[in-house]
Amino acid sequence: MEISEDKHVSVTNEFNNFTDALKKFGKLVETTVIQKKEERLGLYVKNEDTIDYEKFYESVLELFGPEIKSQDVKSFYRKLSNNPDAPVDWCEIFGYFLSEEDALASQLDEENLVFLVSRKQRIGLTGGWKRDVVKCLVKIPQLDFLIIATQKGSITVLNSQMRAQANINVTDTSWITGCDYLPQLKRIVAVTERTIIIWDYKAQGSSQDNCFVIKPMDHCLLCVCVVPMTDHLCRDDILMGDDGGFVNRFTLNSDDFGLKQSKNKKKMQSQILDSKNFKNIKRKLHNDWVMKIKYIQPLNCFGSCSLDSIHSFVLESLKRLEDNMPVREFSMPRGANTFVYCIKANVIVTGGDDKILRLWHPNISTKPVGKLVGHMFSITELVTNEKDQHVISLSSAKVFRVWDIQTLSLLQVFHDSQGGPGDMQIYAVIFDYNHGMLVTGSSVIDMYPLTRMIQDTKQIPHSHDQDINVMVYNRTFHQLLTICSESIIKVWELETGHQIYQIFDPHGSSIEVTTAAIDKSGFVLATGAYNGTLKLWDFGSGQEMKVLVERKDWKEGDHWLHQLTFLLTNEKNHFLILALEYNGRIKLVQGKEEDPLLAVIWELPEVVPIFIQGKKVISLTVSSKPKAMNIPIPEVELEPNEDEPNYNPGISTEVTCFDVLIMEGYNMIAAATVNGIIILWNFVPCTVTELHRPEDALILDPDLDPKRLKVNAMLFLFRSSDCVRKISEESITSSARSDSTHGLQSNKGSKSSIYEAETKGEHSGGTKGETIAGQKNDTAILPSTLLTEHPPPVLVTAHEDGHLRIWSMQGKLLKDMLPFTKHSAISLTTLHTDVCARVLLAGNMEGHVILWNIGSFLNPPYDEKKFKQLIAWRGHALKIVNVIYVEDKQVVLTSSVDGSVRIWHARNGHYCGYFGQRRTFELNEVTDFILPCDVSEHPVEVKEESKYTEKKQKYEYPLVFDRDKWRKMSSFSLLFRQPIPKPFDVNQEFKFFKSLSSPKIRRNILESTMTGNREAGVIFGSLPIYRVPSPTSLRFLPLIGADAHKESSENFQGKKKGGRILHSQSRRRSLRKSLAPGVNLTSAFFPVIQK
């Protein structure tokens, strides 16, 4: 009995505790909802009591214990943030939902939808009319502006920032029913019920003076569209539909609007033109109102829809308007209100009062190829998103539905719930491709952005919760591996950006993984940790294979692994890893098939202290008792006669980075130290060479940064025989293709390789490779890599001072450059090159990515002009850890200490996304130019100037005679002996011109007055008038050849003023008149200024 009573008491206590926890949880939710509502209204001020996700998660854990799952808490908090008014229940915090609809709604959160309705933007009308509505919206992608026409006659042009550029209020009693842009005439056309309005929106002056009205029309015009005509430069054709079922083709020429107004008589009304003077072809195609008309350029046809049930939709060429031949007609019950054409899918979608979307093939008018059902009211508007293959439909109840045109599936449903009863109708809808948003027009203008645009531009890219230490690319499986400082390994799919698997604490709890490497086969992964342990993993499954255990005599942090590299072996399941520790020691780790543990075979001897003593080359000997046989790098030792080095222990000699080259007869290791010393291990002759040592490498100055000379990364640049053969084949193929397509225009915007320009440049040699008969020699079509010997390897280093340096194997500096990033010198942190060493990438401390084309540079004699920087862009706001170039996809991968891994297009630096985002990457398509939310700098492309274009030199005008320069250039006595030169003698030494310099006057901006007289015309009346002050040093100019110049100047002034003018005062004559050529250029540099 006592036991049962105790159980009853414990159950009662648990129930009471849980009830109290639910009450506290309700108060927490209530406080969070109030905060979110105030944040939406902009009334909330952040303080210490602000509840963010972390504080909310900690409070829930205190109430219900650690059994709560983080994903359930995250979905609950997201529901409160997205919709504070949504009903919530406490069971949702435990992952239980009241119905399947709630569970589906929690999974289909707002971030997975096509349009982010919560980020809708709204702007009012600028015309000043009350109770006016937008009747037509037209987007001009080429000019990136939006035309808005309201019902009561206001036409406005908005720029890309949605600011008004031009506006006109048409003084017409009729309402505007449609508008469009005339590309040839550069004007805007609008139609009312009885007139056609042509407006020159770019002309200055009153808008009414730049507006032409064409009337009268036979029927009430309901819609208008422009027919693109590239063969007529001064002509535009428009198509109009009216209430009589007619389709009109109206021709507009520039001569029709060439009338100029009188300068004295100013018209306050629009200029009226007679419609009978214009060419108008019309044909009756419908028995009811023509609701919409469009010209479909890919089909070279126009389409018009009507409320007629028999002639609902017509698709025909323009020639059918001139005859009475049958046309293609599509019939549907109750007609069609709107239609749209999808280019990629090659279907026409129609919608009308029967609430059904029908998909038609352009050549099949008898039966639709598909139907989309779901709307409960009449369909009024249809637009398409060609890039994503979406069709957006709108009903009269302001309900939007987004459909996938390929799968015929419904993706999203949303409606405009704001507005009163008078704001229910939406008259115009367009999709803005440039900015990725849906624009609607009613009494206001609403803009619904695509979710991916908000994710890319507003959300902070987030791949890991902590700083990223390692990023490695697996070429075999096209997968990416990243490791953060929290010791979490994540493997991502490159094509989609989705995570495949992750490993927590691979080296044990609280042990940070600092480096990793993948072997050439792609099946084995090696990771190194802070405590010196090294592990091998099966990359496909993530299973541990072998381990290098930590020894007991190791001190903490003494064997911190900094860099790993796999070495190729001939034996199967035999692994060799070259490891660099933070203390500067390089060791070789071996893993055999029969051994479960990894073992250290040998360590490279320390040679930097010997170099400090002054020795440049150190000889090595192969160990007589090696621990392993048949390994690529032999176990070497210092020769016995080498003395123990004596040097200042305060000088840092730790190795910071290394690279290995074991290929085609080369067996080398290059390493660099923290004080900038570069050494080369060559295992063929068994020597170690000091390639470079900075001048102040051994200077200890407490005022200087000890890491100022540090080399952060280094790479061997070498092309194997396979790469040379591959480049040669590509060069010959590219040459043949360029010859076959000679004279044809290239496809602008086509996806090509970033080093394609290098291949083309090798064959653009003019007539050098042509013989007398006009045929090319065999050597003319061969690339330079075949005409020269096999190029030797070179070494590239990235330095702390921001410089990039290229070295030969003999230690000669081939190139020293500072990358161009619009900033001062920034420390370079990482380097990367492709397999064939044609592209070089670097990342720096402030998040910039720099890309060079080095394909032609690697061929001796190493021309510096062939080392070309193509582009630089800012990929992160913080330090870049690794940068990788993927050749087959032509993308660049970057990782940073900000915890994100991002992907970019290599050609233009366009942002594609980040690993861990919800939507899939679109690597094969040209993306819109967007920037992450933490980056505001645009990419900087370095374009090479053509050798055929004249380089423009910049001079500062005016120039004056500098006496100091003259004294330094010539001796007074020598010039005195020279004979007096004759006027206009061209045989001069031109010392006078060399003595010209910029005037020592104030460099202020010229003051401008108001615009000139309007009666002078449009051009000259708009030119500003400047007042140029006379230079103070003008009186010091020597008068050379005064006789000739006096006569010429007097003749000039006499002609100008109508007679000969004699000077009352004669000019002073002195010996200075013979100190320069006999031409005084004062009048040329300083024209006469009338007071």
Side-chain angles (χ1 to χ4, degrees), residues 592-605:
K592 294 184 178 181
E593 183 177 5
E594 61 274 7
D595 294 337
L597 300 178
L598 298 174
V600 178
I601 301 178
W602 53 259
E603 294 183 3
L604 283 178

PDB file of all heavy atoms in Angstrom, residues 592-605:
ATOM      1  N   LYS A 592      49.696   0.357 -44.198  1.00  0.00           N
ATOM      2  CA  LYS A 592      49.667  -0.872 -44.987  1.00  0.00           C
ATOM      3  C   LYS A 592      48.341  -1.585 -44.814  1.00  0.00           C
ATOM      4  O   LYS A 592      47.603  -1.345 -43.859  1.00  0.00           O
ATOM      5  CB  LYS A 592      50.826  -1.774 -44.584  1.00  0.00           C
ATOM      6  CG  LYS A 592      52.206  -1.217 -44.913  1.00  0.00           C
ATOM      7  CD  LYS A 592      53.285  -2.220 -44.573  1.00  0.00           C
ATOM      8  CE  LYS A 592      54.673  -1.695 -44.950  1.00  0.00           C
ATOM      9  NZ  LYS A 592      55.738  -2.670 -44.646  1.00  0.00           N
ATOM     10  N   GLU A 593      48.094  -2.503 -45.755  1.00  0.00           N
ATOM     11  CA  GLU A 593      46.817  -3.217 -45.743  1.00  0.00           C
ATOM     12  C   GLU A 593      46.682  -4.098 -44.516  1.00  0.00           C
ATOM     13  O   GLU A 593      45.611  -4.201 -43.926  1.00  0.00           O
ATOM     14  CB  GLU A 593      46.681  -4.038 -47.017  1.00  0.00           C
ATOM     15  CG  GLU A 593      45.348  -4.761 -47.148  1.00  0.00           C
ATOM     16  CD  GLU A 593      45.220  -5.513 -48.446  1.00  0.00           C
ATOM     17  OE1 GLU A 593      46.212  -5.547 -49.205  1.00  0.00           O
ATOM     18  OE2 GLU A 593      44.139  -6.076 -48.711  1.00  0.00           O
ATOM     19  N   GLU A 594      47.783  -4.732 -44.092  1.00  0.00           N
ATOM     20  CA  GLU A 594      47.692  -5.672 -42.978  1.00  0.00           C
ATOM     21  C   GLU A 594      47.784  -4.991 -41.615  1.00  0.00           C
ATOM     22  O   GLU A 594      47.495  -5.623 -40.596  1.00  0.00           O
ATOM     23  CB  GLU A 594      48.815  -6.717 -43.080  1.00  0.00           C
ATOM     24  CG  GLU A 594      50.237  -6.138 -43.013  1.00  0.00           C
ATOM     25  CD  GLU A 594      50.741  -5.679 -44.356  1.00  0.00           C
ATOM     26  OE1 GLU A 594      49.935  -5.682 -45.326  1.00  0.00           O
ATOM     27  OE2 GLU A 594      51.929  -5.322 -44.458  1.00  0.00           O
ATOM     28  N   ASP A 595      48.163  -3.719 -41.580  1.00  0.00           N
ATOM     29  CA  ASP A 595      48.319  -3.024 -40.298  1.00  0.00           C
ATOM     30  C   ASP A 595      47.076  -2.190 -40.015  1.00  0.00           C
ATOM     31  O   ASP A 595      46.656  -1.379 -40.856  1.00  0.00           O
ATOM     32  CB  ASP A 595      49.545  -2.104 -40.324  1.00  0.00           C
ATOM     33  CG  ASP A 595      50.837  -2.899 -40.453  1.00  0.00           C
ATOM     34  OD1 ASP A 595      50.819  -4.091 -40.082  1.00  0.00           O
ATOM     35  OD2 ASP A 595      51.838  -2.337 -40.928  1.00  0.00           O
ATOM     36  N   PRO A 596      46.486  -2.328 -38.838  1.00  0.00           N
ATOM     37  CA  PRO A 596      45.310  -1.508 -38.501  1.00  0.00           C
ATOM     38  C   PRO A 596      45.681  -0.085 -38.117  1.00  0.00           C
ATOM     39  O   PRO A 596      44.809   0.782 -38.081  1.00  0.00           O
ATOM     40  CB  PRO A 596      44.687  -2.262 -37.323  1.00  0.00           C
ATOM     41  CG  PRO A 596      45.831  -2.971 -36.676  1.00  0.00           C
ATOM     42  CD  PRO A 596      46.786  -3.336 -37.782  1.00  0.00           C
ATOM     43  N   LEU A 597      46.965   0.134 -37.808  1.00  0.00           N
ATOM     44  CA  LEU A 597      47.401   1.454 -37.360  1.00  0.00           C
ATOM     45  C   LEU A 597      48.326   2.079 -38.396  1.00  0.00           C
ATOM     46  O   LEU A 597      48.980   1.377 -39.168  1.00  0.00           O
ATOM     47  CB  LEU A 597      48.130   1.362 -36.012  1.00  0.00           C
ATOM     48  CG  LEU A 597      47.328   0.801 -34.842  1.00  0.00           C
ATOM     49  CD1 LEU A 597      48.206   0.730 -33.600  1.00  0.00           C
ATOM     50  CD2 LEU A 597      46.078   1.629 -34.582  1.00  0.00           C
ATOM     51  N   LEU A 598      48.356   3.387 -38.369  1.00  0.00           N
ATOM     52  CA  LEU A 598      49.295   4.138 -39.196  1.00  0.00           C
ATOM     53  C   LEU A 598      50.594   4.330 -38.423  1.00  0.00           C
ATOM     54  O   LEU A 598      50.594   4.383 -37.192  1.00  0.00           O
ATOM     55  CB  LEU A 598      48.707   5.501 -39.582  1.00  0.00           C
ATOM     56  CG  LEU A 598      47.412   5.485 -40.415  1.00  0.00           C
ATOM     57  CD1 LEU A 598      46.873   6.895 -40.593  1.00  0.00           C
ATOM     58  CD2 LEU A 598      47.646   4.848 -41.775  1.00  0.00           C
ATOM     59  N   ALA A 599      51.687   4.463 -39.157  1.00  0.00           N
ATOM     60  CA  ALA A 599      52.996   4.603 -38.524  1.00  0.00           C
ATOM     61  C   ALA A 599      53.789   5.675 -39.239  1.00  0.00           C
ATOM     62  O   ALA A 599      53.692   5.837 -40.464  1.00  0.00           O
ATOM     63  CB  ALA A 599      53.761   3.277 -38.551  1.00  0.00           C
ATOM     64  N   VAL A 600      54.598   6.417 -38.467  1.00  0.00           N
ATOM     65  CA  VAL A 600      55.484   7.436 -39.018  1.00  0.00           C
ATOM     66  C   VAL A 600      56.771   6.763 -39.462  1.00  0.00           C
ATOM     67  O   VAL A 600      57.456   6.117 -38.669  1.00  0.00           O
ATOM     68  CB  VAL A 600      55.770   8.535 -37.983  1.00  0.00           C
ATOM     69  CG1 VAL A 600      56.736   9.566 -38.558  1.00  0.00           C
ATOM     70  CG2 VAL A 600      54.483   9.208 -37.539  1.00  0.00           C
ATOM     71  N   ILE A 601      57.108   6.884 -40.762  1.00  0.00           N
ATOM     72  CA  ILE A 601      58.309   6.240 -41.299  1.00  0.00           C
ATOM     73  C   ILE A 601      59.542   7.082 -41.006  1.00  0.00           C
ATOM     74  O   ILE A 601      60.526   6.609 -40.453  1.00  0.00           O
ATOM     75  CB  ILE A 601      58.153   6.006 -42.812  1.00  0.00           C
ATOM     76  CG1 ILE A 601      56.939   5.122 -43.099  1.00  0.00           C
ATOM     77  CG2 ILE A 601      59.404   5.380 -43.384  1.00  0.00           C
ATOM     78  CD1 ILE A 601      56.694   4.899 -44.565  1.00  0.00           C
ATOM     79  N   TRP A 602      59.513   8.361 -41.421  1.00  0.00           N
ATOM     80  CA  TRP A 602      60.664   9.224 -41.199  1.00  0.00           C
ATOM     81  C   TRP A 602      60.222  10.666 -41.200  1.00  0.00           C
ATOM     82  O   TRP A 602      59.087  11.005 -41.580  1.00  0.00           O
ATOM     83  CB  TRP A 602      61.759   9.004 -42.245  1.00  0.00           C
ATOM     84  CG  TRP A 602      61.298   9.105 -43.687  1.00  0.00           C
ATOM     85  CD1 TRP A 602      61.027   8.067 -44.523  1.00  0.00           C
ATOM     86  CD2 TRP A 602      61.056  10.300 -44.441  1.00  0.00           C
ATOM     87  NE1 TRP A 602      60.629   8.526 -45.741  1.00  0.00           N
ATOM     88  CE2 TRP A 602      60.645   9.909 -45.728  1.00  0.00           C
ATOM     89  CE3 TRP A 602      61.162  11.654 -44.164  1.00  0.00           C
ATOM     90  CZ2 TRP A 602      60.321  10.810 -46.731  1.00  0.00           C
ATOM     91  CZ3 TRP A 602      60.850  12.570 -45.152  1.00  0.00           C
ATOM     92  CH2 TRP A 602      60.425  12.140 -46.424  1.00  0.00           C
ATOM     93  N   GLU A 603      61.114  11.521 -40.769  1.00  0.00           N
ATOM     94  CA  GLU A 603      60.906  12.961 -40.776  1.00  0.00           C
ATOM     95  C   GLU A 603      62.022  13.630 -41.559  1.00  0.00           C
ATOM     96  O   GLU A 603      63.167  13.181 -41.521  1.00  0.00           O
ATOM     97  CB  GLU A 603      60.882  13.530 -39.349  1.00  0.00           C
ATOM     98  CG  GLU A 603      59.712  13.060 -38.508  1.00  0.00           C
ATOM     99  CD  GLU A 603      59.709  13.724 -37.137  1.00  0.00           C
ATOM    100  OE1 GLU A 603      60.597  14.578 -36.903  1.00  0.00           O
ATOM    101  OE2 GLU A 603      58.830  13.405 -36.321  1.00  0.00           O
ATOM    102  N   LEU A 604      61.673  14.678 -42.259  1.00  0.00           N
ATOM    103  CA  LEU A 604      62.687  15.438 -42.968  1.00  0.00           C
ATOM    104  C   LEU A 604      63.569  16.179 -41.963  1.00  0.00           C
ATOM    105  O   LEU A 604      63.066  16.756 -40.999  1.00  0.00           O
ATOM    106  CB  LEU A 604      62.038  16.457 -43.909  1.00  0.00           C
ATOM    107  CG  LEU A 604      61.451  15.922 -45.219  1.00  0.00           C
ATOM    108  CD1 LEU A 604      60.811  17.054 -46.006  1.00  0.00           C
ATOM    109  CD2 LEU A 604      62.505  15.239 -46.068  1.00  0.00           C
ATOM    110  N   PRO A 605      64.876  16.169 -42.161  1.00  0.00           N
ATOM    111  CA  PRO A 605      65.767  16.865 -41.222  1.00  0.00           C
ATOM    112  C   PRO A 605      65.593  18.371 -41.308  1.00  0.00           C
ATOM    113  O   PRO A 605      65.197  18.911 -42.348  1.00  0.00           O
ATOM    114  CB  PRO A 605      67.164  16.428 -41.680  1.00  0.00           C
ATOM    115  CG  PRO A 605      66.994  16.050 -43.105  1.00  0.00           C
ATOM    116  CD  PRO A 605      65.617  15.476 -43.237  1.00  0.00           C
TER     117      PRO A 605
END
